[in-house]
Amino acid sequence: MPIKLYSDDELAGLRTLPKMVTNPGARWVDKPGHRQRNFQALAGDDDEIAFSIYQRQNVRDDSDFSCGIAFLPTGDARLTLARYNGPSHIHGDIDFHPHIHRATARAIAAGKKPESEADETDRFNTLDGAFRCLLEDFQVEGVALPAPDQGRLL
């Protein structure tokens, strides 16, 4: 199913919409090479707007992690709104630094992955730090907020 063409205003509205996690006790699941846990969240006046949130950590490389959030529209394709990635890889001009992928109307219109664009960040350097940033950036409540990361050590 193709992804609907969203405007930047619609994407911003999805980002700032207050969300409540419905399964705060989600457990870690071991998978080949990584562990992951998945949360569900609802928003809107009648909790009719659904989101999926994940955390994923490589079991052999602490710098290889990701967390993300997707909008689950009724009758349309899933839309990844953002991914917060660790510094384990190069992405474009970003050399082994944490970065945030965000969905843009431009990428969707071009037929690319909605969240293909990324910006380097110094806001986190661990999965817990990235998860905290995601929860804050996307107005998510109902799950324990991890402590913020300390600044990078030189």
Side-chain angles (χ1 to χ4, degrees):
M1 179 179 296
I3 293 176
K4 173 187 163 199
L5 295 177
Y6 291 88
S7 70
D8 284 326
D9 287 342
E10 288 173 307
L11 295 170
L14 290 169
R15 185 172 48 256
T16 59
L17 186 66
K19 300 158 194 74
M20 180 62 67
V21 169
T22 59
N23 63 332
R27 297 189 185 275
W28 289 98
V29 175
D30 291 326
K31 299 191 173 197
H34 70 276
R35 46 186 250 151
Q36 180 171 328
R37 70 177 170 172
N38 299 300
F39 297 96
Q40 302 341 286
L42 295 174
D45 295 333
D46 297 319
D47 290 335
E48 76 278 6
I49 304 170
F51 297 86
S52 176
I53 302 167
Y54 75 89
Q55 290 178 284
R56 184 179 302 132
Q57 176 68 61
N58 185 305
V59 295
R60 293 186 260 328
D61 181 354
D62 287 344
S63 72
D64 185 5
F65 61 83
S66 180
C67 60
I69 183 167
F71 172 47
L72 307 173
T74 303
D76 278 321
R78 171 190 185 104
L79 171 67
T80 298
L81 295 170
R83 289 185 288 119
Y84 292 58
N85 289 350
S88 65
H89 61 279
I90 295 173
H91 179 80
D93 294 336
I94 302 169
D95 287 345
F96 299 101
H97 286 91
H99 52 281
I100 302 172
H101 294 262
R102 289 187 183 89
T104 64
R106 180 178 59 236
I108 295 169
K112 297 179 181 177
K113 277 178 102 171
E115 78 285 9
S116 60
E117 299 176 17
D119 294 307
E120 185 175 325
T121 186
D122 63 359
R123 294 175 59 209
F124 60 83
N125 52 34
T126 67
L127 178 58
D128 278 348
F131 191 56
R132 179 187 179 96
C133 291
L134 181 147
L135 295 175
E136 291 173 344
D137 293 351
F138 282 85
Q139 311 294 311
V140 180
E141 295 185 1
V143 66
L145 190 64
D149 280 345
Q150 300 297 318
R152 278 190 228 210
L153 299 174
L154 299 175

